[in-house]
Amino acid sequence: MAPPNLPVNPINDVSLPEIIEEYFDLSNGKLSVRGVPLLDEVPNNVTFSPFNSICQPCDDVPLPLLNRVGALSHKGGFLGFKADVPSDRLKNSLGRSSDRDFLSIFRFKTWWSTMWVGNSGSNLQKETQWVLFDVPEIKSYVIIIPIIDGSFRSALQPGNDGHVVICAESGSTQVKASNFDAIAYVHASDNPYNLMKEAFSAIRVHLNTFRLLEEKTVPNLVDKFGWCTWDAFYLTVEPAGIWHGINEFTEAGVSPRFLIVDDGWQSISFDENEDLNEDAKNLVLCGSQMLARLHRFDECKKFKNYKGGSMLSPNAPSFDHKRPKMLIAKAIEIEQAEKTRDKAVRSGVTDLSVFETKIQKLQQELSELLGGQETGASNGSCRGCTCRVGSYGLKAFTSDLRSKFKGLDDIYVWHALCGAWCGVKPGATHLNAKITPCILPPGLDGTMNDLAVDKVLEGGMGLVHPDHASLLYDSMHSYLSEVGVTGVKVDVIHILEYVSEEHGGRVELAKAYYKGLSDSLAKNFNGSGLISSMQQCNDFFFLGTRQISMGRAGDDFWFQDPSGDPMGVYWLQGVHMIHCSYNSMWMGQMIVPDWDMFQSDHLCAKYHAGSRAICGGPVYLSDFVGSHDFDLIKKLVHPDGTVPNCLHCALPTRDCLFKNPLFDGKTALKIWNFNKFGGVIGGFNCQGAGWDPKEQRIKGFPDCYKPILCSVHVSDIEWDQNLELAHMGKAEEYIVHLNQDDELRVLTPKSAAIRITIQPSSFEIFTIVPVQTLSPGNKFAPVGLTNMFNSGGSIQELEYTIEGEVSAKVKVKGGSSFLAYSSGCPKKCCLNGGEVAFEWSDKGKLKLNLPWVEEAAGISELVFMF
């Protein structure tokens, strides 16, 4: 099966038109698009330059891409401005926007971005990465994208009286400028999805510092099922727990095809510890490790102590699946006690002895619980096994994993962009590292409070000199590759803007680091074995995605609200879906959007599972060992660890673009995607929380947490976004299957929309397939496996014969409940060459159960004869 997220429209050679009418004009203080004013009160120092007057393409840009961009160059251009005095940070109005709906993406944390809507330039949020305007006067859309100009990057900000302000900054007081010819790119189109594709293609050709997704190879894990250790263990992760975790999935009949060993495996230490052989101890929750620095490139003691073959032995070490939960619960107690103490300090309490005594008692209890966590899996007799004598550490562990779990294709491990959370310990390695103070960039002073930011500001960064960035990554990755690791999850990516003062600014520092990372990825991990995380800013996408082809599309999966709102366990999940779906509009041009892991036993696990089923990216969990809902998991995953994935990244439907599906109290999030032989729409009730600009945080809006109406029409699928499927948008009739209600409807393009009520934190998935007329009275359309959330993703091949013996041949991957629409009852049905019974009702439902045939990779061939 071809990997998903291939280019939805292949690059074709397009000839330039002889006469080009420019879409944009800047005159008399107005920026207009095809004669319609977009911005007025544009300052005199703002300039607009047509694309071809600025862009000087490099020779290494693929010619078909260059031709495609050239053919559409009249639809876009660059905004610039000239200041009187050079500075390292300049702000300038681009003009006033009022009474015009917009959709935008802004950074609500250093690392993460999300959507925001409004109708005035003053409604924008700080650190806006792009803004999309609705221009109904010409049935079009316009996007303004702040970009890189020289050593400066830019973002949009709100201005007074509706003005849209651009901020250009270098990140170093030593790097100043006053004139910018191309600090933002502006583009127009009559289709918002074409608009994103065209605009980012133009920027790619102009900057030539990144590549589009269609130019790159995607990681192997995009259409597979995996398990990540983070929420399962946090920092207590160790070999025996990982082993037992994977084994539980395998024994339940859902074999993980990839493993991510998250934070907790590295050799890190705190500054006060001068023993380079001594790793930090007693680490449990995220935060406790954030002041530590990398002091060796190999694994920490609990992994280093793993003895080859020990988990393959009949006397393999056992694992207490209750232990991680006990450790995490105790660590949370300590965290809460510390917060209570800090609150007392802020309120003026001076005698803290009671608080300190409690904290010390809890810490002692945690220490006793931790006991011998550093021992790893070195016990257990090897009698009767074939382990290699003297084989220890991560290499032995990955080898044993693959020996036991044959389907485990990939093993990834975690690391921060700078090595560890606070970088590399100076003097501990051969690298030139220096403790560099972290300085909060001015543009982030309105973002949400964040523990990671607090910690790096406190500890500073052990920054490897940019001249050694390539050596840093090759030192880490070449070792990992040698010990059986096939990829990395790189976190804390957008830290460089905090430490760029002495290194030529944020753009130049980022170029050095991203080049080193890209080169190492190409050398050590097949060019694609990397998941980027905490990276959602334009610096990364415009400078760091030349090689990287996958990244997180949203903030972390939060199983509860860290701020303490008891309803956060529900409303945070809807917020997560909004992050991922709207971010995919721009990120999906450059990377495969990764919707992150979740836990199958969470209160909203089914809600998450529905979104992952049609997101178009990898599906992975972070379940505690012993805590799984396998019935739910099997609605997502085939027994061989593959997933019935969609062909594209899921995107919001057109009627959601300028609405607020989080707290307007009425709008459902609808996302659309493609399967091979139809489309799919997910309707999600995400109401109940969102960004509060005054409080500068995401919080609950309980009045909005209520049932809402959701309307779905076959035209909500953007059929023309896939050339091979575009003809489906012209069908005369469709079947629509509602996955949760198990309801089948027949609609035409002129039919009224399906209207359903969706409860809070709930969803419905609509599989939409064109109906084929086979003969008079016989119409047919396959739905797929209704026991899977993405029913249509199970259809592998479809062939109709309408002459002679009329038939429909369907190849299906997976077992259990197959459903099709058939207006007439078939004469017979053959399964893998043999005639079988089936159920048919006069309402058109055609059903039968399919086996999972291991020898055929789970694929069954059905032939219905009429």
Side-chain angles (χ1 to χ4, degrees), residues 265 394 413 415 476-485 488 525:
W265 71 272
L394 193 55
V413 299
H415 72 75
M476 289 193 292
H477 296 167
S478 61
Y479 172 75
L480 291 171
S481 179
E482 288 173 4
V483 300
V485 172
V488 286
F525 297 131

Side-chain angles (χ1 to χ4, degrees), residues 435-475:
I435 304 298
T436 303
C438 289
I439 302 170
L440 183 73
L444 295 175
D445 62 3
T447 53
M448 190 170 171
N449 288 339
D450 184 71
L451 175 64
V453 170
D454 294 341
K455 291 294 185 180
V456 297
L457 291 175
E458 177 186 348
M461 185 57 54
L463 186 70
V464 171
H465 193 280
D467 290 345
H468 276 198
S470 293
L471 190 57
L472 165 67
Y473 296 120
D474 190 52
S475 297

Side-chain angles (χ1 to χ4, degrees), residues 282 284 322-331 333 362-373:
N282 294 352
V284 179
K322 296 179 182 178
R323 188 168 180 267
K325 292 183 179 180
M326 292 170 59
L327 291 170
I328 290 167
K330 186 60 65 176
E333 278 190 79
L362 291 171
Q363 288 174 336
Q364 178 61 33
E365 292 172 355
L366 176 62
S367 182
E368 292 171 359
L369 283 172
L370 285 164
Q373 76 155 12

Side-chain angles (χ1 to χ4, degrees), residues 48 82 95 156 171 221 349 417 442 475 486 554 616 674 712 768 809 844 862:
F48 171 79
K82 294 176 171 42
L156 299 175
L221 49 79
V349 175
L417 182 73
S475 297
T486 57
F674 298 117
V712 170
I768 302 173
K809 183 166 72 174
L862 287 167

Side-chain angles (χ1 to χ4, degrees), residues 30-41:
K30 293 182 180 180
L31 177 67
S32 300
V33 53
R34 295 175 61 192
V36 175
L38 182 73
L39 301 173
D40 59 17
E41 298 183 9

Side-chain angles (χ1 to χ4, degrees), residues 18-257:
E18 294 182 4
I19 300 175
I20 298 177
E21 179 184 353
E22 297 290 346
Y23 272 32
F24 290 94
D25 172 70
L26 176 58
S27 59
N28 301 318
K30 293 182 180 180
L31 177 67
S32 300
V33 53
R34 295 175 61 192
V36 175
L38 182 73
L39 301 173
D40 59 17
E41 298 183 9
V42 178
N44 292 331
N45 68 333
V46 173
T47 60
F48 171 79
S49 303
F51 180 84
N52 288 331
S53 69
I54 294 288
C55 181
Q56 301 295 322
C58 296
D59 293 338
D60 61 346
V61 177
L63 184 60
L65 173 60
L66 185 62
N67 287 338
R68 185 181 75 189
V69 169
L72 302 173
S73 61
H74 60 291
K75 299 171 67 174
F78 299 98
L79 296 173
F81 70 90
K82 294 176 171 42
D84 294 331
V85 180
S87 176
D88 61 295
R89 189 168 189 267
L90 305 96
K91 293 195 288 186
N92 203 94
S93 170
L94 296 178
R96 184 175 70 97
S97 172
S98 60
D99 299 322
R100 187 173 295 285
D101 290 341
F102 72 75
L103 165 67
S104 66
I105 292 289
F106 77 100
R107 284 206 285 171
F108 68 96
K109 289 185 180 179
T110 295
W111 333 102
W112 308 116
S113 62
T114 193
M115 63 87 77
W116 188 252
V117 293
N119 60 7
S120 164
S122 297
N123 298 151
L124 289 169
Q125 301 300 296
K126 286 187 175 181
E127 275 296 306
T128 290
Q129 307 296 288
W130 52 262
V131 57
L132 173 71
F133 293 102
D134 187 18
V135 191
E137 300 95 320
I138 52 173
K139 298 180 180 180
S140 292
Y141 306 85
V142 173
I143 192 167
I144 299 177
I145 307 174
I147 61 173
I148 309 287
D149 193 343
S151 294
F152 283 69
R153 61 79 68 170
S154 60
L156 299 175
Q157 297 183 357
N160 295 326
D161 300 322
H163 277 257
V164 177
V165 174
I166 193 162
C167 177
E169 55 190 338
S170 70
S172 173
T173 58
Q174 303 171 33
V175 180
K176 300 181 179 181
S178 59
N179 296 340
F180 303 96
D181 293 325
I183 199 63
Y185 180 71
V186 58
H187 196 92
S189 178
D190 61 359
N191 182 305
Y193 308 100
N194 289 343
L195 175 66
M196 303 302 289
K197 201 165 9 182
E198 293 169 7
F200 282 94
S201 295
I203 297 169
R204 180 263 182 266
V205 169
H206 168 63
L207 293 178
N208 200 36
T209 52
F210 68 97
R211 291 191 298 162
L212 301 173
L213 178 60
E214 62 195 59
E215 302 177 75
K216 295 178 286 195
T217 301
V218 298
N220 294 327
L221 49 79
V222 291
D223 57 355
K224 297 175 182 176
F225 170 65
W227 183 50
C228 176
T229 64
W230 180 240
D231 287 312
F233 303 100
Y234 292 122
L235 301 171
T236 69
V237 61
E238 45 90 14
I242 294 173
W243 187 281
H244 283 273
I246 295 179
N247 193 57
E248 284 184 353
F249 286 109
T250 302
E251 289 186 345
V254 281
S255 301
R257 299 292 291 271

